[in-house]
Amino acid sequence: MSTTENIPILLVDDEEGIRKVLGLTLSDMGYEVYTAGSCESALDIFRKKKPPFILSDIKMPGSDGLTLLRTIKQESPDTEVIMITGHGDMNLAIKSLKFDATDFITKPINDDALEIALRRARERRLMKEQLKQYTENLEMLVKEKSAKLVRSERMAAIGQTVTGLSHTIKNIAGGLKGGAFVLEKGISTINTKYLNDGWRMISGNVNKIARLSLDLLNYAKTAEINLMLVDPNLPVKQALEVLEPRLDSHHITIQTVLESMPAICFDPDGINIVLLTLVENAIDACLQKSVLPDKNKISITSVKTETGVTYKVEDNGCGMNSDVLSKLFNSFFTTKGNQGTGIGLMMAKHIVDMHNGSLDIKSEAGIGTTFVVTIPDGENKKQMQKA
Amino acid sequence: MLSNGMDKRILVVEDETDMRIFMSALLETSGFKPVIAKNGNDGLARARQEKPDLIILDVMMPEAGGAATYQKLKNEEGLKDIPVIMISAVAQRTFFHYISMLNTQSGSPLPLPEAYIEKPPEPQRVINTIKNLLFQGVVSENTFDNGAS
């Protein structure tokens, strides 16, 4: 049979006569036959020639066929091993099947029985190979498809970003046009109110576009973080300096509790942007809620953790419902009408992610919001950056 | 003022300051009397109080959203016959679809607004639309914004 042409097979039997007769039969069937008289020499040949099929006597002096079977199956589970048993050795035959022998045949060996056992072994081997190939193909297919999916998701994200950005710009352009209209009416009717209103609209929208471009610029800057060894409380202090005038003008009480701690490796400018964004949002949230102005409170704390630092920004402002929470980090999503650019929190999240940190929110509509930023010491990350 | 004998009162329900200023200036300089409301609830109160000749409503307002305000306006005796111009950043198709979805669930179907203008509103288009609705009493084809902007 051509399917057996030159397939290596290892024949193991302690009786030379059987090795000869059986060896001839197997050669006639087209196999390339190796023979061994003991378990030890069989293993030697197996390790050198790696035959896919082994035909082995079960009872041999020294290490017996079962030991050989177990060793082979351990080293190469795919090798098909057929055991030869004496008539009435049913127990041994069953044992060999338990140890995952492909089949067993009984002495005296009938050529047809041998042929059938070998054919089954070949089929089994073929099936295993096909299965392996299918699995590999499937894995490749999954890999390919998911790569495509990731690509298309990324394209969708870019599309969303562009749509959001053009929407924001369209709004500003609308405001500028409206302002120009009101200003023109003021000029043509010599109406001071229109002149003032129109001018206010125009300058407001100019500010807005300035803010948008600044936000976008900041966002582009956060593509990389610049790790350095700094006191984690430094960016908090810097943020507070910038925000103090706004906090004062709205009569918002600010409470800071900063734990002194050793310097860690992080990007102080990036974290400064994160804290600025969070406190700005807290201020906006306080202003949204119409309570007595002096009742508004924002607290900032820093706590040393095992791996770095945790900042907490807490306000008793308007809070958010679950719908808003779910969209919080989307680009260009804003609850502040034409006042927000929808970039701040998305950017904050991005910076924290780049630090391998976490940004968690607890919020309840009408009660307030707490943002918790955890930044791990980036010592090892810095090493990677160097590399 | 430059009154063309059109002392008509127009209620503008709009949450954005800029848009309110723009609308007031546009309406005043065209000879109308604007009545301004900052949100949906305020808008309904002013509508009941002032019985305006026309209402300009922003659909994307937060809180009592423009769509909900519209629903209330069109379900209230004495208000439902006042023509409404919707102004919105939402595409007209989307809003009309929203109304038809509402209608499948409710016993009293909601009519479409008399006119719909997508943001940002073109001054001349707003004025033409108002004049069509107030003085011709019919909704001409071009009252609707076909999104060709």
Side-chain angles (χ1 to χ4, degrees):
Chain A
M1 249 215 268
S2 62
T3 46
T4 59
E5 207 68 61
N6 294 328
I7 295 179
I9 187 166
L10 173 58
L11 170 62
V12 191
D13 202 305
D14 58 315
E15 284 176 52
E16 203 191 339
I18 292 186
R19 284 207 299 275
K20 256 191 189 148
V21 177
L22 217 59
L24 275 174
T25 315
L26 290 168
S27 289
D28 278 351
M29 288 178 180
Y31 290 96
E32 187 186 340
V33 186
Y34 299 95
T35 54
S38 71
C39 180
E40 290 73 24
S41 71
L43 277 173
D44 261 4
I45 296 172
F46 172 75
R47 285 172 188 145
K48 272 183 213 139
K49 301 289 177 186
K50 296 278 173 209
F53 302 106
I54 295 175
L55 187 62
S56 172
D57 192 8
I58 214 161
K59 268 189 184 162
M60 287 185 289
S63 297
D64 67 356
L66 281 180
T67 314
L68 179 67
L69 170 67
R70 287 162 71 176
T71 315
I72 300 257
K73 280 289 171 183
Q74 243 168 37
E75 286 181 24
S76 162
D78 284 347
T79 304
E80 305 293 342
V81 185
I82 299 167
M83 303 308 290
I84 304 168
T85 64
H87 211 68
D89 278 345
M90 201 43 91
N91 275 345
L92 278 178
I94 289 171
K95 237 184 204 169
S96 68
L97 289 185
K98 267 191 193 151
F99 290 135
D100 210 19
T102 309
D103 207 345
F104 65 88
I105 49 176
T106 49
K107 281 180 190 169
I109 292 165
N110 169 306
D111 280 0
D112 286 343
L114 179 66
E115 175 91 62
I116 290 169
L118 282 169
R119 193 169 62 220
R120 275 208 296 226
R122 284 201 309 271
E123 281 169 0
R124 208 167 113 151
R125 189 173 171 84
L126 198 71
M127 256 158 51
K128 273 189 197 161
E129 262 169 21
Q130 276 176 347
L131 195 68
K132 208 165 138 189
Q133 232 168 40
Y134 285 143
T135 316
E136 272 168 12
N137 279 349
L138 204 64
E139 274 169 7
M140 221 152 77
L141 212 66
V142 169
K143 231 185 245 169
E144 240 171 62
K145 292 276 176 204
S146 29
K148 252 188 210 162
L149 210 64
V150 167
R151 259 202 309 278
S152 66
E153 264 176 19
R154 205 171 294 154
M155 288 310 287
I158 292 172
Q160 256 172 22
T161 308
V162 172
T163 311
L165 190 57
S166 61
H167 210 80
T168 310
I169 293 173
K170 189 178 153 188
N171 268 345
I172 296 173
L176 282 171
K177 260 186 172 170
F181 176 87
V182 177
L183 199 65
E184 270 166 32
K185 288 292 175 193
I187 293 167
S188 63
T189 61
I190 322 178
N191 178 323
T192 332
K193 185 175 174 293
Y194 289 164
L195 283 174
N196 281 331
D197 283 350
W199 179 245
R200 233 192 340 261
M201 275 172 81
I202 288 180
S203 58
N205 280 289
V206 167
N207 281 340
K208 216 176 292 165
I209 205 155
R211 207 157 51 223
L212 176 68
S213 59
L214 204 67
D215 272 358
L216 286 174
L217 212 63
N218 272 337
Y219 188 64
K221 261 193 240 159
T222 61
E224 270 176 40
I225 53 172
N226 186 14
L227 297 174
M228 52 181 91
L229 206 61
V230 184
D231 173 10
N233 287 325
L234 184 72
V236 186
K237 290 171 189 155
Q238 285 173 339
L240 283 172
E241 256 169 52
V242 176
L243 291 164
E244 222 143 54
R246 202 177 162 214
L247 287 162
D248 279 351
S249 71
H250 293 296
H251 306 283
I252 295 171
T253 314
I254 182 115
Q255 191 182 35
T256 32
V257 182
L258 305 181
E259 184 181 333
S260 52
M261 57 189 108
I264 62 166
C265 223
F266 69 111
D267 179 3
D269 291 340
I271 297 305
N272 181 252
I273 293 177
V274 172
L275 293 170
L276 275 175
T277 306
L278 295 183
V279 180
E280 291 267 15
N281 280 349
I283 296 174
D284 291 338
C286 285
L287 298 181
Q288 282 283 317
K289 192 177 171 183
S290 33
V291 291
L292 292 171
D294 293 337
K295 291 273 165 67
N296 284 324
K297 225 167 54 189
I298 297 175
S299 82
I300 308 175
T301 56
S302 72
V303 178
K304 180 181 181 302
T305 65
E306 249 174 71
T307 54
V309 58
T310 293
Y311 303 103
K312 203 190 268 183
V313 178
E314 200 169 358
D315 67 66
N316 63 348
C318 61
M320 290 172 273
N321 58 31
S322 53
D323 185 43
V324 170
L325 274 173
S326 70
K327 295 181 203 150
L328 210 55
F329 297 113
N330 290 4
S331 49
F332 306 108
F333 172 76
T334 179
T335 56
K336 299 171 195 163
N338 56 3
Q339 292 306 309
T341 58
I343 293 176
L345 272 184
M346 172 184 71
M347 181 162 65
K349 173 99 171 84
H350 183 69
I351 295 171
V352 172
D353 282 349
M354 302 257 290
H355 281 85
N356 293 342
S358 62
L359 178 50
D360 298 306
I361 319 134
K362 258 186 292 176
S363 187
E364 213 173 315
I367 306 287
T369 303
T370 306
F371 276 95
V372 180
V373 182
T374 303
I375 300 293
D377 187 354
E379 186 51 49
N380 38 14
K381 207 174 165 120
K382 192 175 182 182
Q383 314 263 311
M384 266 167 59
Q385 244 181 14
K386 276 185 197 154
Chain B
M1 286 293 311
L2 357 138
S3 176
N4 310 341
M6 318 185 283
D7 221 12
K8 301 278 191 186
R9 275 166 314 147
I10 297 178
L11 172 63
V12 177
V13 190
E14 172 65 64
D15 66 317
E16 280 179 37
T17 321
D18 280 3
M19 202 53 112
R20 282 201 299 271
I21 295 171
F22 166 73
M23 280 296 178
S24 325
L26 174 61
L27 295 175
E28 275 169 11
T29 53
S30 306
F32 299 102
K33 273 191 77 178
V35 177
I36 304 294
K38 290 184 186 180
N39 58 48
N41 290 334
D42 190 22
L44 277 170
R46 299 303 295 266
R48 290 182 192 119
Q49 193 182 350
E50 304 267 342
K51 292 279 153 42
D53 299 286
L54 188 139
I55 297 170
I56 295 178
L57 183 66
D58 181 349
V59 211
M60 272 300 271
M61 294 184 306
E63 308 211 5
T69 309
Y70 178 71
Q71 203 171 9
K72 284 179 191 152
L73 278 174
K74 287 300 175 189
N75 280 323
E76 189 165 321
E77 274 318 313
L79 295 183
K80 65 179 183 188
D81 295 325
I82 304 174
V84 172
I85 300 178
M86 283 272 176
I87 298 218
S88 174
V90 177
Q92 177 183 318
R93 210 158 35 99
T94 314
F95 182 74
F96 283 14
H97 177 72
Y98 171 75
I99 298 249
S100 64
M101 292 307 285
L102 274 185
N103 283 347
T104 57
Q105 295 166 5
S106 106
S108 53
L110 203 57
L112 292 177
E114 279 70 14
Y116 196 94
I117 295 177
E118 281 179 31
K119 268 186 189 175
E122 204 61 51
Q124 202 49 50
R125 164 168 240 144
V126 176
I127 294 305
N128 288 347
T129 308
I130 294 172
K131 286 184 177 165
N132 275 342
L133 287 173
L134 287 182
F135 303 119
Q136 289 166 11
V138 279
V139 185
S140 65
E141 274 303 308
N142 60 7
T143 313
F144 282 115
D145 192 329
N146 292 317
S149 55

